[in-house]
Amino acid sequence: MTAPTPALNNPALSTEARNLHWLLTNLVEEVPGLLSVAVVSSDGLLLLSSDPGRNTEAPADHSGGPKGSSADLATIVSGIGSLTIGAAKLMDGGGVKQTVVAMEEGSLFVMSISDGSLLGVHATPDCDMSVVAYHMALFVGRAGHVLTPELRSELRQSMESPR
């Protein structure tokens, strides 16, 4: 997977937004087996993406949306997040920290960041699940305290702006 580096040099983004892009790039570069990574707001909107076409100036051709794209991942992460929060409430289980879906052809990890925001990772079937979870926890620990409402709004706008 290609790391999402162009946003790191975007002067239109705040220092905090560039730092979060750097954290995402670092996650993608350091963890083998990641296919797609997405940070999703509590209302299901994509805030950050490992999809190289989302973070470049040139328009990317996503006609029909590639299977497993970050937009698809964001939708799935949001749905799984809602489902597990509902299940935890019904079971008096407290807050949901992490959800792992192990499939024949891959794994899906969802981890809470802050204020309902979620980190979602789609990985290959042969990934080291403990390494993926560890690096996700590092990302969450570093990103959680800076993911303010203002920063979420800035990230949303940067994802929605035309490329």
Side-chain angles (χ1 to χ4, degrees):
M1 177 170 57
T2 305
T5 55
L8 296 174
N9 301 319
N10 184 345
L13 293 177
S14 67
T15 301
E16 292 83 6
R18 286 194 309 273
N19 286 342
L20 281 179
H21 279 280
W22 178 84
L23 285 173
L24 183 72
T25 299
N26 211 24
L27 175 67
V28 168
E29 289 177 348
E30 288 187 10
V31 183
L34 300 188
L35 298 171
S36 187
V37 180
V39 175
V40 182
S41 67
S42 60
D43 51 2
L45 296 175
L46 186 61
L47 299 177
L48 285 173
S49 166
S50 65
D51 183 355
R54 298 290 316 162
N55 301 314
T56 60
E57 297 302 322
D61 180 18
H62 291 295
S63 54
K67 186 176 181 181
S69 73
S70 294
D72 293 339
L73 180 61
T75 302
I76 293 165
V77 166
S78 180
I80 287 177
S82 294
L83 181 64
T84 56
I85 288 168
K89 285 180 184 176
L90 285 173
M91 297 176 183
D92 294 325
V96 178
K97 295 179 182 180
Q98 180 180 2
T99 304
V100 178
V101 179
M103 304 168 282
E104 288 179 14
E105 298 300 322
S107 297
L108 175 64
F109 302 81
V110 179
M111 194 173 284
S112 298
I113 299 177
S114 64
D115 296 336
S117 296
L118 301 166
L119 172 63
V121 171
H122 178 212
T124 61
D126 60 344
C127 75
D128 186 331
M129 293 176 132
S130 61
V131 170
V132 173
Y134 173 76
H135 282 275
M136 287 178 71
L138 287 177
F139 180 94
V140 166
R142 293 172 181 156
H145 67 285
V146 297
L147 202 51
T148 63
E150 296 80 18
L151 184 54
R152 284 193 299 271
S153 178
E154 178 185 355
L155 292 169
R156 260 190 221 126
Q157 289 173 355
S158 73
M159 293 301 285
E160 293 170 359
S161 65
R163 312 261 176 260

